[in-house]
Amino acid sequence: MNTDQFKALLAEKGIELSQKQMEQYETYYKMLVEWNEKMNLTAITEKPEVYLKHFYDSVSAAFYFDFNKPLNLCDVGAGAGFPSIPIKIAFPEIKVTIVDSLNKRITFLEQLSKELGLEGTTFIHDRAETFGQNPAHREKYEVVMARAVARMSVLSELCLPLVKVGGTFIAMKGNQAGEELQVGEKAISVLGGKLESSHAFTLPVEESERNILIINKLKPTPKKYPRKPGTPNKTPIE
């Protein structure tokens, strides 16, 4: 996917990007490749692939959820900033908090945010499990997102405790989403969520399957969740 295709395909979905926004994506791409030589941020470094599998793929959440309003969004385990930074570039009004367990990645994101001139971004070095028990962040976000971080039963325990009651958890998944959802149903319910909708589509150009799961937070998460670091992964709620 070249930059013109990227812009045109998003425009087809009603997401119009300005020259400045296109320049921000370009700077993002350059910094990603540059920093990737010093630390492992991504296995994908070819420009057409980055625009398709990182930028377009991240912004695709906006095909099914309205980011055109001031929102407080938390991105759990964003790595090199996906999906929240590409979304933030397209929808500058949203506030973004990224939590990641690797400090080197946080350093990259802080530098990236500065270079791109992004306002309303916060980067926190923490494990999702301890972050979800922090009263300053627990049940404080209208939207919590994660892209391919862990299977649904685990991911729900890392993300739902951060979502306000009445807010939304958006999980971005590959072709195994249906299967994961069946196994993760119990966790979603126990943690106070309910699946609102599930959207499957194929990425342009390479035609691989993507799924976006939109989960509403209906009631507060029981205090014992998330459990201590490592536990959700070892003994998921299933």
Side-chain angles (χ1 to χ4, degrees):
M1 172 180 279
N2 63 36
T3 55
D4 290 341
Q5 286 172 308
F6 173 70
K7 189 177 180 183
L9 285 168
L10 288 180
E12 278 176 24
K13 297 286 187 180
I15 301 165
E16 301 282 350
L17 298 172
S18 66
Q19 183 60 35
K20 180 192 171 186
Q21 286 165 312
M22 289 303 290
E23 284 164 11
Q24 286 174 311
Y25 285 113
E26 191 57 23
T27 302
Y28 193 170
Y29 166 69
K30 285 176 179 160
M31 280 188 73
L32 184 68
V33 171
E34 189 186 313
W35 281 65
N36 202 53
E37 288 172 9
K38 298 178 275 186
M39 63 171 86
N40 181 25
L41 289 168
T42 177
I44 297 166
T45 54
E46 294 299 315
K47 191 171 176 178
E49 298 266 288
V50 170
Y51 269 82
L52 175 66
K53 293 179 183 173
H54 283 328
F55 297 167
Y56 183 90
D57 188 38
S58 292
V59 179
S60 68
F63 305 164
Y64 308 103
F65 185 85
D66 183 12
F67 290 96
N68 274 308
K69 52 194 172 200
L71 286 170
N72 214 349
L73 182 152
C74 181
D75 186 353
V76 175
F82 309 120
S84 58
I85 300 294
I87 292 171
K88 168 76 177 166
I89 294 171
F91 303 92
E93 295 306 303
I94 63 171
K95 282 186 179 160
V96 168
T97 298
I98 288 179
V99 57
D100 197 274
S101 61
L102 200 63
N103 209 23
K104 285 194 295 191
R105 287 197 289 250
I106 294 293
T107 306
F108 164 71
L109 291 167
E110 284 171 341
Q111 201 52 45
L112 174 70
S113 182
K114 210 163 136 184
E115 284 293 319
L116 299 181
L118 301 179
E119 287 173 13
T121 52
T122 307
F123 306 104
I124 297 170
H125 173 229
D126 201 353
R127 290 285 299 255
E129 295 95 331
T130 42
F131 188 71
Q133 287 291 0
N134 181 335
H137 297 281
R138 186 179 178 87
E139 300 194 324
K140 293 287 191 281
Y141 297 93
E142 281 103 357
V143 181
V144 176
M145 298 186 74
R147 188 180 81 140
V149 172
R151 60 196 191 279
M152 275 309 287
S153 48
V154 179
L155 201 55
S156 300
E157 186 169 349
L158 303 180
C159 294
L160 275 166
L162 296 163
V163 184
K164 273 181 178 178
V165 172
T168 308
F169 163 37
I170 302 172
M172 305 184 75
K173 291 280 173 190
N175 59 3
Q176 74 297 2
E179 204 178 298
E180 283 192 31
L181 203 49
Q182 280 181 319
V183 180
E185 257 176 341
K186 182 184 174 186
I188 293 166
S189 172
V190 165
L191 297 156
K194 185 173 193 271
L195 181 72
E196 184 204 298
S197 55
S198 169
H199 307 274
F201 68 101
T202 52
L203 265 191
V205 188
E206 63 153 42
E207 301 292 311
S208 59
E209 189 187 328
R210 293 290 187 270
N211 284 271
I212 294 179
L213 310 176
I214 297 182
I215 291 156
N216 288 341
K217 177 83 172 267
L218 302 181
K219 53 182 194 282
T221 299
K223 285 189 169 54
K224 69 172 181 175
Y225 301 111
R227 292 163 294 168
K228 61 179 193 289
T231 309
N233 214 15
K234 282 191 207 103
T235 55
I237 309 164
E238 286 174 0

